Amino acid sequence: MNFTLYIAKRYFLSKNKNKAVNYMSFLALLGIVFSSAAMIIVLSGFSGLKNYSLEFLSYTSPDLEISSKQGKRFVFNEKIKDVLSSSDINYVKCISERAVMSINGGKKIVSIKALDESFPKRNIDSILYAGSWPNKEEEVVVGWGLAYDLGVSLNNYENPVTFFVPVAGKGQVFQEKDIYNNRTAVSSGVFNLNEELNNNLVYADFSFGQKLFGIKGNEVNSIEVYDRVSENTIENLKGLLGNDFYVKTKLEQNEILYKMLKTEELAIFLIFSLIVVVALFNMFGALIMIFLEKKSNLKTLSVLGLTKEKIGALFTFQGLYITVFGCFGGLALGSILLSLQNYFSILNLAPNLPYPVSFELKNFVLTFIVVIIVGSAVSYSVSTLIKKNLTKSLQQ
């Protein structure tokens, strides 16, 4: 076996007399290098984009959300408060409803998220782009896209923002306030998360949300927890709160998004695996060409006692040499290009926003496994074909 490996290494390292064979071998190696590099670059790019998207969810989506199964709102009573206190959980009361936002003659339907003073400062610092978080009832923080589209300026008390919400009720309408509630507010800050939230979301003080939506007493839309909660604590909460409440983790709140990202990741992996397969089939032709070019040498080796199985193994090892060196070369090339993107921001999603890439071990392992498995299959196929036709070929 050592002799077979030695011959395979010589065939891999030495040049052939036939230049066409040299070109075929070089192109086969180059195909593996570029397909491996392409696969690791695309997988790392998608991982970076996925992490970038999920990073914003960590700021806006709570680690745990408690909401009612019976309707949009529920009364935050002493029983629920005692359950949360007994579990040593820091919580944020939340009112989340839709309203019409109007300023400078422009109008847009937006989602208002009114939070109490327990909303963590680390989350505020992470999402706030300019200005300050509301510290008065009549202050709000709008998304960067909303501020741009409607011309919202910071702390402009002469030109405040007005919010309108329809009033639910019965009977005849006699005056304007029977149709809708409205309240004015000043934008104290601007946040920047992603395009969708920037164009549709407004943060407000909890008491502002209560008055705008006509909520009395201790009614809330949800209770949000922005700290890591153990599985045991979540199960205890579900048991204590009973069947009238949803207790959703971050994954359960964004289940559709997570499924979509997983599906896209699988699709990208399969597409680039196919590209690797196509690239490695170039090696099939190269190994056949090497066999034809080395027939005289193989005839000599056969006379010296090299069996049919060992000659077949020789080309298996030859294919594995090309596959392994090509794979490592591709991973090295991909790593260099990814590092250049990280340090020099060669590609941008938008001005001042470089395309995110993420070095993850699983992407390198997946790429290596796919290339080695396909390369081994192609090498073994060539070896089997050569063994079947070896006697006839050497006699020609």
Side-chain angles (χ1 to χ4, degrees), residues 223-236:
I223 298 296
E224 299 182 346
V225 178
Y226 288 87
D227 295 319
R228 292 287 178 89
V229 183
S230 67
E231 289 293 330
N232 289 336
T233 303
I234 292 172
E235 291 304 316
N236 289 336

Side-chain angles (χ1 to χ4, degrees), residues 134-247:
N135 52 29
K136 297 179 183 176
E137 185 179 303
E138 284 77 22
E139 290 183 345
V140 296
V141 173
V142 301
W144 186 89
L146 274 175
Y148 180 81
D149 290 341
L150 298 179
V152 181
S153 54
L154 295 182
N155 300 313
N156 189 345
Y157 288 89
E158 295 181 0
N159 186 24
V161 184
T162 306
F163 295 94
F164 300 90
V165 294
V167 174
K170 299 179 181 179
Q172 296 180 340
V173 175
F174 294 103
Q175 48 189 333
E176 190 176 306
K177 68 179 183 179
D178 296 330
I179 304 174
Y180 56 81
N181 281 340
N182 70 86
R183 289 192 69 81
T184 59
V186 172
S187 176
S188 63
V190 174
F191 69 83
N192 185 23
L193 285 168
N194 59 40
E195 186 175 357
E196 182 181 355
L197 295 176
N198 289 348
N199 291 324
N200 294 286
L201 183 61
V202 174
Y203 284 101
D205 182 75
F206 185 77
S207 57
F208 179 84
Q210 283 182 310
K211 292 178 181 178
L212 176 63
F213 298 108
I215 297 174
K216 297 179 181 179
N218 291 321
E219 281 192 321
V220 295
N221 287 88
S222 63
I223 298 296
E224 299 182 346
V225 178
Y226 288 87
D227 295 319
R228 292 287 178 89
V229 183
S230 67
E231 289 293 330
N232 289 336
T233 303
I234 292 172
E235 291 304 316
N236 289 336
L237 276 176
K238 289 179 178 179
L240 292 170
L241 291 171
N243 295 325
D244 293 333
F245 292 92
Y246 293 109
V247 180

Side-chain angles (χ1 to χ4, degrees), residues 96-100 109-112 164-166 200 213:
S96 183
E97 299 280 357
R98 295 181 73 80
V100 175
I109 297 175
V110 298
S111 295
I112 295 183
F164 300 90
V165 294
N200 294 286
F213 298 108

